[in-house]
Amino acid sequence: MIRLLLLALTGYVSYKVLQRVLPWFWRPQIQPRGPQPEVQADELVQDPVCKVFIPRRNALVARREGQDFFFCSEGCRKKFLQKS
Ligand SMILES: [Zn+2]
């Protein structure tokens, strides 16, 4: 009878241990959150001043009336902001 109890206890303990250890193995690999996807960063935007297309990540941004405008250079950005 004691043997059975010991067996049950051992079983219970190993069950508890497994319960603690297994989630560590099962934990999904957490993908590091890198920068924005390349596709989005390379999206072309048009400069409203000189009408040239530039990759979004290289563009200068000005926000007006809740809308983002993109510029090829600081000069274009200034021109745009002065016009308004
Ligand atoms: Zn420009």
Side-chain angles (χ1 to χ4, degrees), residues 47 49-52 54 71-73 76-77:
D47 183 326
V49 177
C50 66
K51 311 293 181 198
V52 83
I54 44 222
F71 305 93
C72 67
S73 67
C76 283
R77 188 168 167 266

Side-chain angles (χ1 to χ4, degrees), residues 60-64 67-71 77-78 80-81:
L60 289 161
V61 186
R63 182 165 269 259
R64 203 177 68 179
Q67 215 188 325
D68 283 334
F69 294 91
F70 300 93
F71 305 93
R77 188 168 167 266
K78 272 198 186 129
F80 178 80
L81 291 172

Side-chain angles (χ1 to χ4, degrees), residues 1 4-5 10 12 26 33 38 43 56 58-59 62 66 69 75 83:
M1 188 62 195
L4 208 77
L5 221 111
T10 321
Y12 176 76
W26 286 340
R33 285 197 68 90
E38 284 301 300
E43 183 192 343
R56 194 177 170 145
N58 293 342
F69 294 91
K83 240 185 356 185

